[in-house]
Every structure is written in C-alpha cells, then in structure tokens.
Amino acid sequence: MDLPENMAAGERTVVHAYVSDEAGRPVASGTHVTLVLSVGPRDPVSNPFQYTRSETCRGNVWTEYRLLVSQKGTGTVWDTESGRYSEELARFDLTGRFKASDGIEMSFAFHKPARQQNVPLIIWLHGGGEGGTDPSIPLLANKAANYASPEIQTAFGGAYVLVPQCPGAWMHNAQGVMTHGEDDVYHGALMELIEDFVSKHPDIDRNRIYVGGCSNGGYMSMKLILEHPTYFAAGYISALAFQSQYISDKQMKKIAHVPIWFVHAADDQTTIPNETVLPVYDRLKALGAPVHLSYYEHVVDLTGMYGGNEYHHTGHWSWVYSHANACYLDKDGSAVTVDGKPVHIMEWMASQKKK
C-alpha cells in the first residue's frame, strides 16, 4: 500500500531503554535491550496499521513496518528483524476458522482462561474497518485485546473472549452494500459460529454469555439480541450503528428484559446519536428495560499523555471508554450500581446472568 510521504518514513523517539530478557521483561544483566518508543494519535509513523478506503483494500491493514536502530557513538546499526512479539496477542489463539451452513467462512480469535468450570464468555464484534481474514487486526486496531487483560479478566474471575472477524463488514447486504438496520447477510453465519464455539467449550456458563461491539459491531450486537432475545445475558454496545427507525415496537418489547449498557459520544458524526442510541435507549427505558447509557460530550485522551480532557479523538471512537473499562456513569450523570455499590461497565456486566 502506498502511503503519503509523512506517513511512509520518519524518526521514532526513544523514551526509555533498559536491559531485558527476550520478552522485554527487565533484568539486572543480559543480552537484550528493550527500547520504549513514543506513540501517539498525531504520530502516524508510529502506527503499524493504516486505514484505507480503497475499493480493493478497505479498512485497517498492517503495513510493511521496518525499523533501523543506530547508535550514534559507535555507529553500530541494527536493521534485521528476527521475529515479533505482542503480549496482547500472546493471550489469544488466532487460528480459529469456521464455515457456516450458508457457505460463509469466518476467522476468529479467542482467549481461554485458566479457570475451567462455569466460565463466562465475552464476545466482541469489531467495527467496519477490521474485517478480513487476519484476526490480529480486530484485536489490535482499536485495543479490543484488552478484554483478555488481567484487569478485565479479574472482574469476571476469568472469562473466555471470542472475537469473530467478518470477511467484509457486519452491515453488508448480499450485494456488499451497507445497511442501517435492514437485511444484512452475516448475522446467521455469526450466530452459528457462536453456538459452535460454545458447544465445543462445555466449561462456558450458558447463563453468562455477553455480546458487544462498536459501530458495525454495535449494529450486529443489537441484531443478535433482537434475533435471539433469550440467548445473551447482557450487551455492551459502543457507537451503535443500528438506526432506531428499523426496530419495531414489537421487537423492543421482546428485548426489554435484556440488560444493555450503551456507550456513545454526542459529537459522533458517523453513528448520529439522534438516529441511533438516543431513541433506542429512550424507547427501552420507557419499557422499564435494565439499560444504561454512558453519553460523553467528546471522546478524550484517557491516558493523559496527549492532552487529557483537552484532547478530543474522533467522536465516533466511543469504544475507547469500553476497552479501558472507564464507563461508570449513566446518561443522567448518576453512578451505575450493583447491590448498592458503584461499578464500571465490566464489573456490571460480570454481575449479569440470564434470567
């Protein structure tokens, strides 16, 4: 893929260096050195993914990323790569493949916890830019791998994480055109994949299966809940792309018992809140549904490294809050609680069981 000059090459900033083992863990002495390089949303050279809208290559793709490290004092140069290691990817099996009864084939990644009895299942459905046949992309392109992180796993006491990958986009119809709540082509095959995965892992607790996703994946999460209202224990949906006008009152009543936590930003110009999450949330609340909505004015820098609250990501990226387990307020500004105790979104979800 051809990149603009300012994205194709440049210098990286080393912010820290230390002696380590081959996995990057600090040691007192050894034969490896780990360099910690600066990254950031305004530093395109630091990103090994690039997003393209080309017809032949749409979405996030790995670039051919090469580094040349030189030591100015001695002139020594390191420019040969012997391998790559990602702590986040190491938690996942990336070899999953599934063929549905309609012939649709999907790749998937999954995390298997150490605990092997009555284990919950977290399903994450990626956005429109992470489709294809390489499940490392939906895991890393927007940090969905964090659902297997120690912090989130602790909230569940250990959980399976299943990350299916759509060959195209979840909202595509049979002609490859985006829908907004009409006939997509993938939901049947996806549900077969989920049921097949659950059947092959009998240690999964059938009463604690959770589904969520962002944008396209938020659409598909909602679609699965609508089509299978008794299957999932809860939903967690960011940047919902399902337009309210395509959900009938009858369908709303069928899912009014399903706990769902929505996450959205007011300045989302891709999944317009007034067309998607706000009317969906209001209609469910009117039915007495156990739903929450963390509604942000902007998507800000949670790390504090790039400007904190003063730095605004693209408004569509509300999944930043979900991946970081940072959501804890409902739309009215009150804290979400479980048994009287304030909780974040993952602790809330871990407490939900199918009724």
Side-chain angles (χ1 to χ4, degrees):
M1 180 174 74
D2 293 329
L3 297 173
E5 185 176 346
N6 70 318
M7 299 170 66
E11 292 191 354
R12 299 292 307 275
T13 300
V14 178
V15 296
H16 187 41
Y18 58 91
V19 180
S20 70
D21 62 15
E22 61 183 10
R25 292 180 288 260
V27 294
S29 62
T31 58
H32 295 78
V33 173
T34 291
L35 304 180
V36 180
L37 306 182
S38 174
V39 298
R42 293 193 178 100
D43 184 11
V45 176
S46 70
N47 192 350
F49 291 104
Q50 295 297 336
Y51 187 87
T52 172
R53 294 184 180 274
S54 121
E55 290 301 319
T56 57
C57 185
R58 183 188 182 280
N60 283 294
V61 295
W62 286 101
T63 61
E64 183 184 351
Y65 204 90
R66 297 189 298 268
L67 285 173
L68 183 149
V69 181
S70 60
Q71 188 177 35
K72 292 182 179 179
T74 64
T76 304
V77 172
W78 295 268
D79 61 359
T80 303
E81 180 178 327
S82 62
R84 298 190 180 195
Y85 175 77
S86 164
E87 183 177 8
E88 290 86 357
L89 287 184
R91 299 183 181 124
F92 286 85
D93 183 321
L94 305 177
T95 64
R97 300 293 183 271
F98 179 77
K99 185 173 182 177
S101 59
D102 59 7
I104 291 176
E105 298 184 36
M106 293 184 186
S107 306
F108 64 91
F110 69 94
H111 166 77
K112 186 175 183 177
R115 184 164 69 92
Q116 296 299 301
Q117 188 174 5
N118 294 325
V119 184
L121 169 63
I122 303 169
I123 302 166
W124 172 258
L125 303 179
H126 61 76
E130 290 81 56
T133 58
D134 180 354
S136 69
I137 292 176
L139 284 172
L140 294 183
N142 54 36
K143 209 175 174 64
N146 211 39
Y147 294 108
S149 68
E151 176 200 356
I152 291 179
Q153 286 289 305
T154 297
F156 291 85
Y160 277 93
V161 181
L162 174 63
V163 183
Q165 186 178 28
C166 179
W170 297 118
M171 294 172 70
H172 277 169
N173 62 18
Q175 290 72 46
V177 177
M178 288 284 190
T179 67
H180 296 284
E182 305 122 306
D183 292 329
D184 64 83
V185 73
Y186 289 114
H187 74 270
L190 174 59
M191 193 63 196
E192 284 186 30
L193 185 159
I194 293 169
E195 291 175 323
D196 182 74
F197 184 84
V198 171
S199 70
K200 291 177 178 175
H201 297 85
D203 49 326
I204 291 175
D205 184 347
R206 272 59 171 177
N207 292 317
R208 298 181 69 200
I209 298 176
Y210 311 108
V211 65
C214 64
S215 192
N216 252 253
Y219 161 88
M220 185 54 77
S221 300
M222 195 72 186
K223 182 64 174 277
L224 291 182
I225 292 171
L226 288 166
E227 294 289 326
H228 307 276
T230 62
Y231 190 84
F232 301 99
Y236 63 113
I237 297 175
S238 307
L240 175 68
F242 209 123
Q243 292 189 3
S244 177
Q245 62 177 313
Y246 295 109
I247 306 176
S248 69
D249 290 340
K250 182 178 180 180
Q251 287 177 303
M252 283 290 190
K253 290 177 182 177
K254 285 176 64 178
I255 67 168
H257 64 285
V258 182
I260 304 175
W261 191 320
F262 297 101
V263 183
H264 218 100
D267 61 348
D268 187 337
Q269 296 301 303
T270 303
T271 53
I272 309 299
N274 286 333
E275 298 174 357
T276 57
V277 72
L278 292 179
V280 168
Y281 172 78
D282 288 343
R283 291 171 68 191
L284 286 170
K285 286 290 284 186
L287 292 170
V291 295
H292 303 289
L293 168 59
S294 289
Y295 194 55
Y296 300 92
E297 185 176 356
H298 307 287
V299 181
V300 302
D301 163 35
L302 296 179
T303 69
M305 296 174 63
Y306 314 117
N309 289 336
E310 301 305 313
Y311 182 88
H312 297 168
H313 292 291
T314 300
H316 188 45
W317 295 0
S318 53
W319 52 84
V320 166
Y321 294 103
S322 177
H323 294 343
N325 192 26
C327 313
Y328 62 97
L329 297 180
D330 213 330
K331 184 173 179 287
D332 63 0
S334 63
V336 177
T337 62
V338 172
D339 296 330
K341 177 183 176 183
V343 292
H344 286 69
I345 186 169
M346 291 295 116
E347 289 79 21
W348 167 86
M349 195 160 74
S351 72
Q352 305 303 316
K353 293 184 179 181
K354 190 168 64 174
K355 297 178 176 63

